[in-house]
Amino acid sequence: MRSLWKLTLVEAKLFMREPFAAFFTLAFPLMMLFIFGSIYGNDPTPFFDGRGSVDVSVPRYTAMIIASVGMLSIAINMSVHREKGVLRRYRATPLRPQTILAATVLVNLAMTLLGTLLLIIAAKVIYDLRFDGNPLAVLIGFVLASLSFFSLGFVIAGLAPTARVAQVVGMVIFYPMLFLSGAGLPSEMLPEAIRSFSKFLPLTHVVTLLEGLWFGSSLGDHLMEVAVLGGMMVVGVVVATRTFRWE
């Protein structure tokens, strides 16, 4: 346990030294909030079923944070660690692979949570954010969605031959999902054909789950989303375990 916490601290320092990961996790969602919040405000509108623009944006931007950490931060950082020989050095220590992966998951989960908390605090203080859900249910949905996308990040890192390839693959998957799932742009603005197609995207299920829980529905109302994300996590863990490489 002591080695886990020491490694977690090291990974946290490495995360904060990587401007790309820190920007998309901590700064970019706030930038989106302030830009669109200053344009549309947070007055209730029929366009969002009587809710404000910021009210619906916060759970959607949370989904964006989760996806960016999983498909960009984890995929790229793990590939960089392998390319620079960090994982090879870890292998020469008494550390077990499970400890290394656990530390990586803990750090990225903590940073994802920090980015979400900063987003919520800013939205509450500046735009009087409304919340109608159960905090525990939202937290469970948040953790499930995070672990699902983290597993995808490990899969990309394991299959990509280099960090550059991991970055390209992560971006190719991330950005279309960002704009088609409702996490980056309101899904209400998309044509019906695009909205139907977006139901096959994993990030759409994160948006649907978090937004539903945020506005008061229960986990039982989102069994499909829970099943999809849970299945994605299990498959991702199995594939990542088989494709993990030290060097």
Side-chain angles (χ1 to χ4, degrees):
M1 184 61 70
R2 186 177 179 182
S3 60
L4 172 62
W5 290 118
K6 285 187 175 181
L7 184 59
T8 300
L9 180 60
V10 171
E11 289 293 329
K13 292 179 180 178
L14 292 175
F15 185 98
M16 295 307 297
R17 290 174 183 173
E18 175 53 55
F20 185 86
F23 172 76
F24 273 95
T25 305
L26 305 177
F28 185 69
L30 289 174
M31 185 175 70
M32 294 278 288
L33 175 73
F34 294 143
I35 290 175
F36 290 103
S38 64
I39 295 173
Y40 300 109
N42 196 33
D43 295 328
T45 170
F47 187 72
F48 292 120
D49 296 326
R51 302 183 178 94
S53 172
V54 173
D55 294 332
V56 300
S57 294
V58 167
R60 297 177 182 187
Y61 290 167
T62 299
M64 176 176 64
I65 295 173
I66 290 172
S68 68
V69 171
M71 290 186 291
L72 299 181
S73 297
I74 289 181
I76 296 171
N77 289 342
M78 288 297 293
S79 299
V80 169
H81 281 5
R82 185 178 63 244
E83 205 168 77
K84 291 185 175 180
V86 175
L87 294 181
R88 186 173 64 249
R89 294 185 182 94
Y90 282 161
R91 190 180 188 182
T93 70
L95 290 172
R96 297 180 178 180
Q98 297 90 328
T99 303
I100 298 171
L101 296 177
T104 303
V105 170
L106 286 174
V107 168
N108 283 277
L109 185 60
M111 292 302 172
T112 305
L113 182 59
L114 176 60
T116 301
L117 289 176
L118 291 175
L119 181 68
I120 292 173
I121 292 172
K124 181 63 178 177
V125 171
I126 300 176
Y127 300 106
D128 192 25
L129 174 70
R130 288 174 282 271
F131 175 73
D132 301 319
N134 182 312
L136 180 59
V138 173
L139 179 61
I140 293 173
F142 171 85
V143 172
L144 173 62
S146 298
L147 295 180
S148 298
F149 271 82
F150 289 3
S151 68
L152 179 58
F154 283 115
V155 170
I156 295 174
L159 294 176
T162 65
R164 185 177 295 275
V165 172
Q167 181 178 7
V168 171
V169 172
M171 287 183 172
V172 167
I173 298 174
F174 171 70
Y175 283 110
M177 282 204 294
L178 176 65
F179 294 111
L180 298 179
S181 65
L185 295 175
S187 56
E188 291 83 356
M189 298 174 58
L190 301 175
E192 185 60 35
I194 299 297
R195 294 174 65 179
S196 298
F197 170 77
S198 70
K199 294 178 182 179
F200 296 97
L201 302 176
L203 190 55
T204 301
H205 295 284
V206 177
V207 171
T208 303
L209 175 63
L210 294 182
E211 189 174 45
L213 297 176
W214 189 268
F215 294 125
S217 60
S218 66
L219 286 168
D221 297 325
H222 295 280
L223 293 179
M224 175 178 291
E225 288 75 26
V226 171
V228 169
L229 295 176
M232 175 178 161
M233 179 180 65
V234 172
V235 173
V237 169
V238 172
V239 176
T241 301
R242 295 180 176 274
T243 57
F244 179 80
R245 292 177 288 125
W246 291 99
E247 54 184 312

